[in-house]
Amino acid sequence: MSNDEHSGERTAPALVPACDPGTLAEAGELLRALAAPVRIAIVLQLRAGERCVHELVDALGVAQPLISQHLRVLKTAGVVSGHRNGREVVYRLVDDHLAHIVVDAVAHAEEDSAEETTPAGDAAQAT
């Protein structure tokens, strides 16, 4: 053990440079756009490849007007883009960083759920 650990003293964490307030605001808007279960499901679908609205409706079991509304929010936030292919608009993710955010959030939620349903998790909650 170091002297700091023996004395109970803690060293100060390294300072992280402050981000530009505009950048923080944009990040907040992005996270708000992703903060709906249907939009998360849409991002996960688009992670696998481009989809048109009817494919998302079929995959997610959500009504077409609701899918279109959520796609509009994601498009406004710069998460997805769409291009016309005949009568349909085909949507895709703007970049893979966004998919990583969603995949990591889902994985984290699944880990928390698994801990809550395991016997060890039940014992930990009982204490």
Side-chain angles (χ1 to χ4, degrees):
M1 286 192 155
S2 71
N3 287 338
D4 286 344
E5 290 172 312
H6 285 293
S7 65
E9 293 179 30
R10 293 180 45 185
T11 57
L15 292 178
V16 176
C19 290
D20 172 64
T23 301
L24 295 175
E26 285 182 40
E29 290 301 315
L30 172 64
L31 292 173
R32 263 191 285 292
L34 294 172
V38 172
R39 293 195 287 266
I40 291 169
I42 290 170
V43 170
L44 292 173
Q45 286 293 313
L46 295 178
R47 179 176 173 246
E50 294 183 342
R51 302 277 191 273
C52 60
V53 173
H54 78 84
E55 291 172 319
L56 293 168
V57 167
D58 292 345
L60 302 177
V62 177
Q64 182 272 324
L66 190 57
I67 291 289
S68 294
Q69 180 182 21
H70 285 293
L71 283 167
R72 196 168 27 260
V73 170
L74 292 170
K75 190 172 182 182
T76 300
V79 175
V80 303
S81 65
H83 66 275
R84 189 158 292 283
N85 185 10
R87 294 180 55 206
E88 297 180 323
V89 177
V90 178
Y91 290 91
R92 68 173 185 81
L93 290 177
V94 170
D95 71 40
D96 288 334
H97 290 104
L98 303 168
H100 289 293
I101 293 168
V102 171
V103 168
D104 287 348
V106 169
H108 180 75
E110 286 175 340
E111 289 171 1
D112 286 349
S113 294
E115 288 176 7
E116 291 175 5
T117 59
T118 61
D122 292 342
Q125 288 178 348
T127 57

